[in-house]
Amino acid sequence: MFDNNYLNALVLIAGLVVGFFGAHLIIRLIKHRLHEKKDAGWIQTLTRITRPLTFLAALLVLLSIQPLMDTGKKLPFDLQHLYTLLTIFLVTWLIINAIRSIRSILLRRYNLDTKDNLKARKMHTQLRVFERILIAMVLVIAIGIALMSFDKIHKLGVSLLASAGIAGIIIGFAAQKSIGLILAGFQIAITQPIRLEDVVIVENEWGWIEEITLTYVVVRIWDKRRLILPISYFIEKPFQNWTRTTAEILGTVFIYVDYRFPVDKMREALTEILEDTDLWDGQVNVLQVTDAKEHTLELRALVSAADSPTAWDLRVLVREKLVEFVQKNYPEYLPQTRVLFPEQKINPEKEPEAGEEKS
């Protein structure tokens, strides 16, 4: 015959198996019904919480059959304390996965791949920052509850509270930087000077906001590098945000030509270039003389695009086509340097010929 130890072990194993597979079967049935309804959001949510729910259900079965067993004096450890720690762990795991699932469900309607994604970037930024804050709070609370479940640590904690004044001051000074970063994360989430996929210029680098955490921000530079900055940087220091209110942006192209160059002809050429490309959004098309330097005229072409990457490509295209236009049609009006000899007579009504100029 089996003694009580073997019977208790068998009962524990049987209860664990029944609880685990029973919960797993129920969750699979629910997922099958969701598949029939083609509800991808809830399927993803249920997939995330399947494991913690299954183990938690198995643990609840064990707790329900524990009064039927006499294991308190036959095991080298406190089974009730073990159940408590497992419950804390599984509930924490379940809450964290539930927080992540709720964030995923809320963000299903906000797609970052669309052109006009200002609202989507706003929601992604807020929910991801709040998700990390909530998870951090849940972990701190869970660890605190688990530690307080130990009698020795609990007594030690009570004794330390009596002298917590000095310890609190020391910890406060030590954690000042970390607390400041977390508060800056709250401020970023609420006021949103930056959002995910915002185009920024930081430390003379141009890139996109790729990730925002509680303590740092990752900027994806245009050449695939990553710039890591403390989150307080975006509160304390100035930086450029090209997509703060809208993704639309203006681009400038400077061309330098001789004083005799017909500016109206270049305006017509600029219009033809813009109308012949899909990079232009049809909003801004301006060519102006912005400066008259000692040897050249400075012409500025001002164009608009839907977003900053498109604006960059449009500027490159416009610059190339305008230079080509001057080379093919008015090569004699490229920037020149004139040398006038004293004995040379000047006829103001006659336009100088190419032989009278020295480049």
Side-chain angles (χ1 to χ4, degrees):
M1 294 181 63
F2 295 104
D3 60 11
N4 288 336
N5 285 336
Y6 288 111
L7 288 176
N8 289 332
L10 289 175
V11 172
L12 283 173
I13 294 172
L16 182 63
V17 171
V18 171
F20 185 86
F21 284 101
H24 188 68
L25 179 61
I26 294 173
I27 292 174
R28 286 193 63 181
L29 291 174
I30 297 174
K31 288 177 67 175
H32 181 70
R33 294 293 300 273
L34 293 175
H35 273 292
E36 293 179 352
K37 296 181 180 180
K38 297 181 179 180
D39 194 337
W42 285 107
I43 292 174
Q44 183 183 8
T45 301
L46 194 61
T47 302
R48 280 182 171 173
I49 64 176
T50 295
R51 288 185 179 180
L53 268 181
T54 303
F55 284 109
L56 190 60
L59 182 61
L60 291 176
V61 171
L62 289 179
L63 290 174
S64 64
I65 65 175
Q66 184 190 1
L68 304 177
M69 301 181 295
D70 184 17
T71 59
K73 299 180 179 179
K74 297 180 175 63
L75 293 176
F77 54 86
D78 187 354
L79 187 60
Q80 186 63 41
H81 190 209
L82 178 61
Y83 286 153
T84 301
L85 294 178
L86 286 175
T87 303
I88 294 172
F89 171 75
L90 293 175
V91 170
T92 303
W93 186 11
L94 178 62
I95 292 175
I96 290 175
N97 283 3
I99 292 173
R100 291 173 175 169
S101 300
I102 292 172
R103 191 259 301 170
S104 299
I105 293 173
L106 294 176
L107 292 180
R108 279 189 299 167
R109 296 180 297 170
Y110 302 97
N111 189 4
L112 289 174
D113 296 331
T114 58
K115 288 187 176 180
D116 188 11
N117 60 358
L118 180 63
K119 187 175 181 180
R121 289 186 287 110
K122 179 179 180 180
M123 292 302 298
H124 275 262
T125 301
Q126 285 183 332
L127 291 178
R128 289 192 181 187
V129 172
F130 283 129
E131 175 198 9
R132 289 183 171 91
I133 292 173
L134 289 176
I135 290 176
M137 293 174 61
V138 169
L139 288 174
V140 170
I141 294 173
I143 293 173
I145 294 175
L147 292 177
M148 294 297 289
S149 66
F150 293 90
D151 292 335
K152 293 182 179 179
I153 296 179
H154 180 77
K155 294 177 181 177
L156 179 62
V158 172
S159 62
L160 286 176
L161 288 177
S163 58
I166 298 176
I169 294 174
I170 297 174
I171 294 173
F173 277 112
Q176 184 177 5
K177 194 74 174 180
S178 299
I179 294 173
L181 290 174
I182 294 175
L183 293 177
F186 271 109
Q187 190 171 350
I188 291 288
I190 296 172
T191 61
Q192 294 201 340
I194 55 172
R195 292 176 291 264
L196 291 174
E197 295 303 319
D198 266 349
V199 179
V200 295
I201 296 181
V202 184
E203 298 291 316
N204 296 321
E205 297 284 0
W206 179 78
W208 294 265
I209 299 295
E210 183 177 58
E211 185 180 359
I212 302 175
T213 70
L214 288 178
T215 55
Y216 64 89
V217 176
V218 180
V219 180
R220 184 175 72 253
I221 308 301
W222 64 273
D223 58 359
K224 306 293 185 180
R225 291 177 295 147
R226 299 298 189 271
L227 182 64
I228 313 297
L229 296 166
I231 196 167
S232 58
Y233 179 97
F234 296 91
I235 302 297
E236 300 171 354
K237 297 184 179 181
F239 63 95
Q240 294 185 41
N241 188 335
W242 288 11
T243 54
R244 177 70 178 86
T245 56
T246 178
E248 297 176 354
I249 194 169
L250 298 180
T252 57
V253 175
F254 290 95
I255 300 292
Y256 297 90
V257 295
D258 190 73
Y259 269 76
R260 298 169 297 162
F261 183 84
V263 179
D264 289 337
K265 297 295 182 180
M266 184 172 283
R267 288 196 178 98
E268 296 174 2
L270 176 62
T271 301
E272 293 176 2
I273 294 169
L274 294 178
E275 291 178 348
D276 195 39
T277 179
D278 296 332
L279 300 175
W280 185 48
D281 63 0
Q283 299 296 321
V284 178
N285 170 18
V286 177
L287 181 72
Q288 297 172 317
V289 179
T290 54
D291 199 358
K293 299 181 181 295
E294 182 180 358
H295 301 292
T296 60
L297 288 179
E298 181 185 79
L299 307 182
R300 186 191 68 178
L302 191 63
V303 296
S304 60
D307 50 51
S308 55
T310 307
W312 171 264
D313 293 336
L314 181 61
R315 291 173 59 200
V316 172
L317 175 68
V318 169
R319 185 182 295 109
E320 178 184 339
K321 294 296 183 180
L322 289 182
V323 170
E324 182 181 352
F325 170 77
V326 176
Q327 290 174 338
K328 287 185 176 181
N329 299 280
Y330 302 96
E332 68 276 14
Y333 296 151
L334 289 170
Q336 299 179 5
T337 300
R338 294 173 175 81
V339 177
L340 185 63
F341 294 98
E343 66 274 9
Q344 194 173 14
K345 295 182 179 180
I346 300 176
N347 186 353
E349 297 180 358
K350 180 182 176 181
E351 186 175 321
E353 297 180 358
E356 300 175 1
E357 299 169 351
K358 184 176 181 179
S359 299

